[in-house]
């Protein structure tokens, strides 16, 4: 289930997907950062992005193929602006080998699982290990338990998510792309945690 696939800007999804300007601009008040979403197929990565960028939720969306690209800028209270260049990767196993093309050089990685799916939580832990091995040493990592609106079907406890995040130096949040719960907060929290370049 990929929400962004039908509307993504695919022209930028070719080649390696790496942006040479990935660490953020020199101006400490105007940051530009590459963000990658990782996680199992169907956990709602594209739905999170579409809700954040366009304020939309599409329950009939298609599976993301390869990766899709969207961008969104937010302003923080200290008047810093952060432009997120968001790479939403496909969750299917056959695309797993492509993921390093997107997370190498990323300033931020958002690892998503579905709170109703223990399998997706196990896959999230796999991605965390991959990022620790191959990602940038100063990458900001978030662990996101999505589909919080399905609490009555929950199979992964909030405590499990918190414990996994704490153990791996990540921050943790539960979201619902369907209801928009905590979606903006997720990206605001990421923006606050970004390393700030010193002004030249």
């Amino acid at each position: 289930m990929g929400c962004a696939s039908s509307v993504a800007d695919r022209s930028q999804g070719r080649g390696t997907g790496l942006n040479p300007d990935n660490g953020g601009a020199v101006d400490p008040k105007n940051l530009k950062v590459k963000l990658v979403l990782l996680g199992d197929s169907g956990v709602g990565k594209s739905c999170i992005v579409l809700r954040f960028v366009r304020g939309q939720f599409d329950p009939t969306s298609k599976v993301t193929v390869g990766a899709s690209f969207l961008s969104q800028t937010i302003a923080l209270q200290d008047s810093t602006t952060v432009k997120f260049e968001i790479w939403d990767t496909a969750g299917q196993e056959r695309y797993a080998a492509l993921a390093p093309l997107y997370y190498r050089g990323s300033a931020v990685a958002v690892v998503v699982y579905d709170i109703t799916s223990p399998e997706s939580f196990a896959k999230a832990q796999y991605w965390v290990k991959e990022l620790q091995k191959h990602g940038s040493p100063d990458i900001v990592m978030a662990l996101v338990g999505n589909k919080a609106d399905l609490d009555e079907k929950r199979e992964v406890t909030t405590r499990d998510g918190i414990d996994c995040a704490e153990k791996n130096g990540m921050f943790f949040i539960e979201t619902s792309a369907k209801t928009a719960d905590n979606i903006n907060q997720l990206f605001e929290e990421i923006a606050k945690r970004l390393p700030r370049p010193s002004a030249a």
Side-chain angles (χ1 to χ4, degrees), residues 16 48 60 68 76 78 90 92 100 106 115 142 144 150 164 171 178 189 193:
T16 64
I48 288 171
T60 63
S68 61
L76 300 179
D78 68 357
Q92 301 100 309
S106 290
I115 67 162
V144 178
L150 300 177
C164 177
F171 83 89
K178 186 174 184 179
E189 192 60 43
R193 290 166 186 260

Side-chain angles (χ1 to χ4, degrees), residues 18-94:
L18 292 179
N19 176 352
D21 181 22
N22 55 47
V26 181
D27 180 355
K29 286 291 184 187
N30 293 290
L31 305 177
K32 185 165 79 170
V33 296
K34 180 180 169 185
L35 179 152
V36 64
L37 281 98
L38 298 162
D40 217 350
S41 184
V43 297
K45 299 183 298 298
S46 300
C47 295
I48 288 171
V49 176
L50 195 62
R51 175 61 83 179
F52 173 57
V53 174
R54 302 221 168 103
Q56 297 170 348
F57 178 76
D58 178 7
T60 63
S61 63
K62 309 289 187 292
V63 169
T64 302
V65 176
S68 61
F69 175 87
L70 290 163
S71 68
Q72 176 70 305
T73 302
I74 65 171
L76 300 179
Q77 287 181 329
D78 68 357
S79 75
T80 300
T81 62
V82 179
K83 180 180 182 183
F84 287 111
E85 298 183 333
I86 304 167
W87 289 95
D88 172 23
T89 64
Q92 301 100 309
E93 204 59 55
R94 67 179 180 272

Side-chain angles (χ1 to χ4, degrees), residues 51 58 131 160 175 195:
R51 175 61 83 179
D58 178 7
L131 287 163
D160 285 342
T175 60

